[in-house]
Amino acid sequence: MFRIDATTVGVSDTRLMAEIVAARPVLSTERSVYKPAAGADIPHDSATRTIRALGQDVTAGIRTPPPPARGLSGSWPYAPTSYLRRWLFGADPLPVALLAKRGITRSDTLSRLVDRAVTVWPGTGAEGGSTALAGLIRGAADPLDRKQAVAMYRRASATLCDGVAALAGNALWLMRATGERPADLTAALWETLRLLPPAWMLYRNSGDAYAGLHPEIRREDNVALLPLLMHRHPDYWSDPLDFRPERWTGVADPEKAPGFMPFGFDGARCWAKHLVVPLAERLLTVALDHGLTVRGPQQDAPVPLRSLLSVRFEASVGA
């Protein structure tokens, strides 16, 4: 436990993390994808429908031929993000497909314009989109439900594609040091999740629930839970800074490993965790089968401390 600033403490101890998580349920405003939309909380049944729809879309996408691999050339993780959006959601009709366009999502003005267009998109009686997520918009029962379905389409598609692109890119960078393709890509991805977990920090707002759990946590302190530090602690891992995929060989359930929480905690786990690793493995397979080469810094690469830990590099696909 350590102090980050006057009103924030950081925690990387497994026991204390568990106590903090158990102290109270996660607030809706502390969530990412399922935070309030259109001025109202996302109902549980709506969140469940979104998860199921996204699962259907990812399962269908994994089974279909990917777009031309040349789309993976360029700056990572941006190139694979656009590639995944095209692969999974590119068949949706306008204006819905624009919700998943990276150029649109980067502009608040364009995002608002597209959102308005989608809210008046033909309803249930018209021909709708090809994805299950688009079907939730088309089948919305009332204006609020429709606005929230639009927000969920944008958030779910962006969060999934951004997260998978970051994970695959991080794995490519770490695998680069070995000079050969791993025999077990799944193990390589679990080891990547250890060193660069997507849920590298979980933020909890201050309150009475955490006072008393540790003598240095005050009622007014916000709490940052840091799996990133726990995943690199020698109390839990031998050679913690080394990339060693063989750690996971024969491990039936990696998430039960001590000191390992790649997708968050009970009550606040990544809603798409069961989709991320299979989709990232499929993306890596496409990249490696087409001779993708990582270019850029040989030893060090920038990893900005943003919502996702993403190594930045250039890559090109072979002929």
Side-chain angles (χ1 to χ4, degrees):
M1 212 290 297
F2 57 98
R3 182 158 296 280
I4 296 175
D5 58 34
T7 59
T8 309
V9 295
V11 178
S12 61
D13 176 74
T14 300
R15 181 194 58 78
L16 184 54
M17 280 186 177
E19 291 180 356
I20 290 171
V21 169
R24 66 162 173 79
V26 62
L27 304 177
S28 61
T29 54
E30 295 169 336
R31 299 183 182 275
S32 54
V33 175
Y34 296 121
K35 62 186 177 184
D41 287 343
I42 300 293
H44 181 269
D45 59 343
S46 177
T48 301
R49 288 196 300 270
T50 301
I51 295 172
R52 290 175 178 170
L54 192 66
Q56 295 174 30
D57 294 337
V58 170
T59 300
I62 289 176
R63 293 174 178 171
T64 58
R70 62 178 178 272
L72 293 174
S73 294
S75 299
W76 280 58
Y78 308 114
T81 295
S82 298
Y83 184 88
L84 286 166
R85 291 181 179 188
R86 184 164 65 253
W87 188 358
L88 300 177
F89 306 105
D92 280 335
L94 291 175
V96 177
L98 294 177
L99 291 170
K101 295 289 185 182
R102 182 170 175 270
I104 299 295
T105 58
R106 294 179 68 188
S107 168
D108 290 341
T109 300
L110 290 176
S111 295
R112 287 194 294 269
L113 289 173
V114 171
D115 286 358
R116 291 171 186 168
V118 177
T119 56
V120 296
W121 181 53
T124 308
E127 290 189 15
S130 60
T131 67
L133 273 182
L136 295 181
I137 300 174
R138 192 174 62 253
D142 55 59
L144 176 60
D145 189 23
R146 193 174 183 84
K147 288 180 180 179
Q148 291 194 329
V150 170
M152 296 305 295
Y153 183 108
R154 184 190 297 283
R155 293 177 188 175
S157 61
T159 303
L160 176 74
C161 294
D162 290 350
V164 170
L167 174 57
N170 293 343
L172 281 171
W173 178 262
L174 293 168
M175 286 163 20
R176 182 191 194 193
T178 68
E180 59 184 22
R181 179 171 180 165
D184 188 345
L185 284 179
T186 301
L189 286 168
W190 284 113
E191 180 69 345
T192 301
L193 286 165
R194 184 184 70 83
L195 286 170
L196 293 168
W200 69 275
M201 179 184 74
L202 297 174
Y203 199 76
R204 294 292 181 267
N205 295 326
S206 61
D208 292 332
Y210 306 138
L213 296 180
H214 188 283
E216 295 185 39
I217 300 180
R218 305 168 307 193
R219 182 186 180 282
E220 63 270 22
D221 283 334
N222 300 311
V223 179
L225 306 174
L226 297 160
L228 174 65
L229 300 185
M230 182 178 64
H231 287 187
R232 295 161 178 249
H233 200 289
D235 283 357
Y236 306 113
W237 309 95
S238 59
D239 301 317
L241 300 183
D242 291 349
F243 178 68
R244 291 173 45 192
E246 62 271 16
R247 299 179 200 269
W248 305 102
T249 301
V251 178
D253 189 352
E255 287 192 90
K256 291 185 178 180
F260 187 55
M261 299 177 182
F263 294 111
F265 306 84
D266 289 337
R269 289 190 185 274
C270 172
W271 47 273
K273 70 169 194 168
H274 61 293
L275 307 174
V276 170
V277 173
L279 186 56
E281 183 172 353
R282 183 81 167 92
L283 179 63
L284 277 180
T285 300
V286 172
L288 295 172
D289 285 352
H290 288 83
L292 184 137
T293 301
V294 175
R295 296 184 283 109
Q298 295 297 313
Q299 298 297 329
D300 301 314
V303 185
L305 284 176
R306 296 178 180 171
S307 57
L308 292 173
L309 297 181
S310 303
V311 180
R312 311 299 171 88
F313 58 85
E314 296 290 321
S316 59
V317 172

